[in-house]
């Protein structure tokens, strides 16, 4: 007695509809999307990512090594660790800060016939820029090597140039927006997805 009930009904979210960079539904600005760069600059925060054609998705290095030689990845840009290039004699070192706030270098080592992706507290791999592929490469035991993978695999691995085929994809350096580079302290958000839930 004395209670008043109001029926609420959920309707599906409309989703964003952008015109000239602004959503006509809610007025939110269009989010920036990750783009790869065609050169690298020491001291800039990048994401080390690769686009997998078989999976139609972008994958970013998350800072974890699987089985001591695969780099774990995540499709969420914000979950990718910031990767830095450091100038050194003959090229660059690659590094990131792990979850324990320790600097880790991304190295490539020979293991029999294989070339493995590893991380450690000491830099042992010098990379040079490959302007034709917009990525870094290195030479290990006579093999020109790239960070990447093939087929539908999504972890970062090492590909010898002699094994490159059309099904390979190479890791490149990404930033948010139209090539504007993020400061090292920035933590870009993942491009937004409209999650409105309206009640009439």
């Amino acid at each position: 007695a004395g209670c008043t009930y109001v029926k609420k009904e959920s309707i599906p979210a409309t989703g964003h509809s952008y015109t000239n960079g602004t959503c006509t539904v809610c007025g939110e600005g269009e989010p920036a999307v990750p783009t790869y760069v065609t050169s690298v600059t020491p001291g800039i925060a990048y994401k080390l990512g690769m686009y997998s054609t078989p999976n139609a998705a972008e994958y970013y290095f998350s800072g974890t090594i699987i089985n001591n030689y695969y780099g774990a990845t995540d499709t969420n840009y914000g979950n990718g660790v910031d990767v830095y290039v450091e100038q050194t004699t003959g090229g660059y070192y690659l590094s990131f800060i792990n979850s324990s706030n320790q600097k880790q270098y991304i190295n490539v080592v020979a293991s029999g016939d294989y070339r493995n992706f590893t991380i450690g507290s000491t830099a042992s791999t010098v990379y040079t820029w490959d302007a034709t592929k917009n990525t870094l490469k290195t030479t290990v035991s006579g093999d020109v090597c790239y960070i990447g993978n093939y087929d539908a695999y999504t972890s970062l691995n090492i590909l010898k140039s002699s094994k490159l085929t059309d099904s390979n994809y190479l890791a490149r350096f990404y930033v948010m927006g139209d090539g504007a580079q993020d400061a090292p302290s920035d933590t870009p958000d993942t491009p937004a997805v409209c999650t409105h839930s309206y009640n009439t």
Side-chain angles (χ1 to χ4, degrees), residues 109-187:
V109 297
S111 179
D113 289 336
Y114 297 97
R115 305 296 173 257
N116 292 334
F117 176 99
T118 67
I119 59 174
S121 57
T122 304
S124 62
T125 300
V126 176
Y127 299 88
T128 57
W129 185 253
D130 186 328
T132 61
K133 294 181 171 59
N134 293 313
T135 191
L136 292 178
K137 63 183 179 182
T138 190
T139 301
V140 177
S141 298
D143 293 309
V144 176
C145 300
Y146 296 88
I147 299 172
N149 219 321
Y150 57 95
D151 295 332
Y153 294 106
T154 60
S155 60
L156 291 177
N157 201 357
I158 299 300
L159 299 170
K160 297 179 187 179
S161 61
S162 60
K163 303 283 188 181
L164 293 181
T165 68
D166 290 342
S167 63
N168 298 144
Y169 32 97
L170 301 179
R172 296 191 284 194
F173 296 85
Y174 288 75
V175 292
M176 290 299 290
D178 57 359
Q181 295 171 332
D182 299 307
S185 60
D186 288 351
T187 305

Side-chain angles (χ1 to χ4, degrees), residues 10-14 194-200:
S10 294
I11 60 172
T14 58
C194 199
T195 56
H196 297 303
S197 178
Y198 299 104
N199 288 324
T200 53

Side-chain angles (χ1 to χ4, degrees), residues 48 59-66 71-74 76 79-83 96-99 156:
L48 186 62
Y59 295 87
Y60 305 98
F61 176 49
S62 63
T64 302
I65 291 292
I66 305 166
T73 61
D74 196 297
N76 185 318
N79 290 339
V81 293
D82 288 338
V83 174
F96 67 97
I97 304 299
N98 68 12
S99 58
L156 291 177

Side-chain angles (χ1 to χ4, degrees), residues 81-103:
V81 293
D82 288 338
V83 174
Y84 302 91
V85 294
E86 298 177 22
Q87 194 82 49
T88 189
T89 303
Y92 305 98
Y93 293 138
L94 278 178
S95 67
F96 67 97
I97 304 299
N98 68 12
S99 58
S100 300
N101 205 32
Q102 297 171 324
K103 186 176 188 178

Side-chain angles (χ1 to χ4, degrees), residues 3-9 200:
C3 293
T4 302
Y5 295 98
V6 177
K7 179 181 178 183
K8 292 186 176 181
E9 179 181 348
T200 53

Side-chain angles (χ1 to χ4, degrees), residues 8-22:
K8 292 186 176 181
E9 179 181 348
S10 294
I11 60 172
T14 58
H16 289 301
S17 176
Y18 295 106
T19 300
N20 298 324
T22 303

